[in-house]
Amino acid sequence: MAKKVVVSFSGGKDSMLSLHKAIQDGFEPIAIMTTINNTKGESWFHNISIDHLKQVSASLSIPLLLVECSGENYELSFENALKAMKDLGAEGCVFGDIDIEEHRTWCSNRCNNVNLTPIFPLWNGNREELVKEFISLGYKAMIKKVNLKNMGMEFLGETLSVDLLEKIKITGSDVCGENGEYHTFVYDGPLFSRGIQIEILEKRSSENIGWLMVC
């Protein structure tokens, strides 16, 4: 029998690629789990709406677990959600981290505290090769958020492509955005039964962050 797992799911390219690879490796995802900022009603870090996350879940045919939390109780809420998934049969949790040891340690600690196995399908992969693999598989990811210290507002709303990666490199940013230069929303790809429709309303900025308002 396939090992059942929950997937820590931001809605961005790395979490989607880790889900793809986990399925390829024979794991059975019983849920995608997304943390929600309880003061904003959207995902932490990527700022993806609950409605869009529900649409992704339906298209993937994988249940969605929304974990509403504040910054103060983030770790505890994450672990409680993992416990709930373990009660439903999950044996491990899949993460999309690539090579930042501090991130791996945080994820591993959350899993170890509830006796789940942390799984890192992308770990130690080449950053550029991974994002190019994501594109070559046929996934579509829109840049939803940028750090304006690294990239300009013109990147918002663009869908990742090999050509766009070259433009990102010209800015001096990490091509995978692994240092927080940009965040994405994956709206279509081989695991989707249908693409997610996105309407761009406007671009906004505050301090050093630029983001898309979409519906």
Side-chain angles (χ1 to χ4, degrees):
M1 293 178 61
K3 186 173 185 177
K4 294 181 178 179
V5 295
V6 58
V7 179
S8 179
F9 189 78
S10 68
K13 60 179 176 50
D14 297 336
S15 63
M16 185 64 71
L17 184 58
S18 69
L19 168 62
H20 184 100
K21 287 181 173 289
I23 292 173
Q24 279 189 326
D25 290 340
F27 293 104
E28 178 188 347
I30 62 171
I32 52 176
M33 185 176 87
T34 306
T35 54
I36 300 296
N37 185 322
N38 63 357
T39 63
K40 295 183 177 181
E42 58 189 14
S43 68
W44 278 95
F45 313 117
H46 287 61
N47 301 103
I48 298 170
S49 72
I50 290 175
D51 179 63
H52 277 145
L53 290 166
K54 288 180 176 179
Q55 290 183 51
V56 170
S57 169
S59 185
L60 296 174
S61 297
I62 302 174
L64 172 67
L65 173 63
L66 297 174
V67 184
E68 296 193 23
C69 55
S70 66
E72 289 73 23
N73 69 352
Y74 191 95
E75 288 188 4
L76 179 61
S77 298
F78 198 96
E79 289 183 13
N80 286 338
L82 290 180
K83 289 178 185 177
M85 288 294 96
K86 184 179 179 183
D87 290 342
L88 292 177
E91 300 175 67
C93 183
V94 174
F95 298 94
D97 299 283
I98 299 174
D99 57 18
I100 298 178
E101 194 63 47
E102 182 181 0
H103 293 177
R104 182 184 175 107
T105 298
W106 188 93
C107 298
S108 296
N109 287 343
R110 304 287 75 73
C111 286
N112 293 337
N113 287 346
V114 299
N115 295 313
L116 285 178
T117 301
I119 302 163
F120 299 90
L122 311 185
W123 191 251
N124 279 336
N126 178 278
R127 293 181 180 185
E128 184 168 348
E129 289 178 3
L130 285 172
V131 69
K132 286 183 176 178
E133 178 183 4
F134 172 86
I135 293 168
S136 69
L137 285 168
Y139 285 103
K140 305 294 183 184
M142 176 184 291
I143 294 182
K144 180 78 166 47
K145 189 175 178 181
V146 294
N147 186 328
L148 295 173
K149 292 181 179 179
N150 307 104
M151 295 168 57
M153 295 285 286
E154 69 272 13
F155 285 96
L156 291 172
E158 293 294 316
T159 293
L160 288 184
S161 65
V162 173
D163 288 343
L164 188 64
L165 296 184
E166 293 303 314
K167 294 178 181 178
I168 291 173
K169 285 197 284 187
I170 289 173
T171 70
S173 301
D174 178 78
V175 70
C176 200
E178 193 68 0
N179 303 310
E181 293 94 336
Y182 70 92
H183 294 295
T184 58
F185 171 53
V186 184
Y187 62 89
D188 204 356
L191 290 181
F192 287 68
S193 62
R194 60 186 180 279
I196 310 304
Q197 298 301 311
I198 307 170
E199 180 183 352
I200 297 175
L201 301 177
E202 62 178 312
K203 299 179 181 181
R204 292 186 181 179
S205 63
S206 177
E207 297 180 352
N208 295 313
I209 301 298
W211 71 93
L212 282 180
M213 297 294 294
V214 300
C215 66

